Amino acid sequence: MTPGLAVIIVGEDPASRIYVRNKIRAAEDVGVISRLFEFPSEAPPESVLGLIDSLNDNPLIHGILVQLPLPPQFNIYSVLHRILPAKDVDGFHLYNVGGLVVGERVFSPCTPYGVMKLLEHEGISVAGQNVVVVGASNIVGKPMALMVMREDATVSVCHAKTRDLAQFTILADILVVAAGVPGLIVQQMVKSGAVVIDVGINRLASGQIVGDVDFESVRQKAAYITPVPGGVGPMTVTMLIANTIQSTEHKADLIDWDAGSISGPMRSLYSHA
Ligand code: GUN
């Protein structure tokens, strides 16, 4: 079965267009069939929901991704929850979010999943470490905190209203920054030998893309640091592809070939029927 990924984008947000193009390109590179669905920014939500219904029913599509943000007429949760959990390769459906808390999910959100893979690849264990996450978004900060907590880290989550951010970041053995503020983290805020993971992607007025960490100063103190661009960003795309392939293999395993349909307790994740 060839993996199939559907990508939906609504509107003209330039950053979203670049992210989507990277995802489609990565899919093609590894032989995942991708289909791009583009809607104008004034599209009625019903048209996107109708497309999601038909993709849910399409056996050739194993992963469905709706690029965020969506225009204001959309209720983002009603869109994300329309995707079957078993095709929710972004890991944003409530089933998958809840599963991250209690351990029964199908998919993990791609960016924090990519961070976990980076740490694993470098042989960095998070158990017993002080992990400080800066940024509490649903896409990165919150799932990141849950993932490292599950692996026995001690976690602090800081955000825009945190008083004296440095008081927290200086204690971090592993510092994950996803605040969307260029240059937020400077050398004095980082412990010597810390692992610094920069999830920020900011475009400066000059056009330069930078992260949330002042890379040149912090690299002199950190044991490990990820660059922007080229650090976490490619991992996000890679985990999307990994989730899509996992979805395809999982579905193949669950199919009752005689009946030609999904069987067993996982059925409701695969079909609304
Ligand atoms: N917008 C910013 N990051 C993401 C992501 O990981 N997935 C989707 N669907 N939209 C995003």
Side-chain angles (χ1 to χ4, degrees):
M1 209 184 288
T2 306
L5 172 67
V7 178
I8 301 172
I9 182 167
V10 187
E12 302 299 327
D13 182 65
S16 291
R17 297 211 149 255
I18 293 172
Y19 295 147
V20 161
R21 196 187 59 204
N22 291 343
K23 290 169 184 178
I24 300 262
R25 198 175 284 166
E28 281 166 6
D29 282 350
V30 295
V32 170
I33 293 176
S34 59
R35 292 193 59 191
L36 174 63
F37 298 90
E38 298 175 275
F39 290 85
S41 56
E42 66 279 7
E46 298 69 39
S47 58
V48 174
L49 295 173
L51 171 63
I52 291 172
D53 288 344
S54 72
L55 295 169
N56 281 338
D57 289 340
N58 185 339
L60 300 178
I61 295 293
H62 306 92
I64 303 171
L65 176 151
V66 178
Q67 187 65 27
L68 303 176
L70 288 168
Q73 73 271 27
F74 284 82
N75 175 330
I76 150 172
Y77 299 107
S78 65
V79 174
L80 296 179
H81 300 159
R82 194 73 159 238
I83 300 170
L84 282 171
K87 294 193 179 187
D88 168 38
V89 284
D90 250 337
F92 294 163
H93 186 286
L94 270 188
Y95 178 91
N96 287 318
V97 175
L100 197 54
V101 180
V102 298
E104 265 292 313
R105 74 200 175 284
V106 193
F107 297 112
S108 300
C110 301
T111 299
Y113 188 16
V115 171
M116 297 305 286
K117 283 285 170 195
L118 274 179
L119 293 170
E120 184 187 314
H121 184 262
E122 293 300 324
I124 299 166
S125 165
V126 302
Q129 304 282 357
N130 283 343
V131 177
V132 176
V133 180
V134 181
S137 70
N138 290 335
I139 293 181
V140 183
K142 285 185 209 165
M144 185 79 253
L146 288 164
M147 279 184 206
V148 290
M149 201 165 81
R150 218 184 39 213
E151 304 226 339
D152 301 323
T154 303
V155 189
S156 308
V157 181
C158 302
H159 43 74
K161 295 207 171 146
T162 298
R163 278 181 283 118
D164 193 1
L165 181 61
Q167 168 193 313
F168 291 90
T169 59
I170 198 74
L171 295 178
D173 301 308
I174 300 172
L175 177 62
V176 182
V177 192
V181 180
L184 178 67
I185 304 296
V186 295
Q187 195 183 41
Q188 306 87 283
M189 298 167 77
V190 177
K191 183 164 90 168
S192 282
V195 175
V196 179
I197 308 219
D198 191 351
V199 185
I201 303 179
N202 310 290
R203 183 183 290 273
L204 301 181
S206 64
Q208 191 192 356
I209 303 288
V210 298
D212 292 350
V213 176
D214 178 13
F215 185 83
E216 284 308 324
S217 73
V218 173
R219 74 185 299 189
Q220 293 162 31
K221 220 167 171 191
Y224 295 83
I225 183 168
T226 62
V228 178
V232 173
M235 289 305 295
T236 298
V237 177
T238 304
M239 301 331 293
L240 171 69
I241 303 302
N243 277 349
T244 306
I245 292 168
Q246 184 200 317
S247 176
T248 314
E249 289 174 347
H250 200 174
K251 184 168 174 209
D253 286 347
L254 287 171
I255 284 184
D256 170 350
W257 291 107
D258 291 334
S261 65
I262 307 287
S263 60
M266 296 290 273
R267 191 173 200 292
S268 63
L269 303 180
Y270 284 85
S271 164
H272 286 302

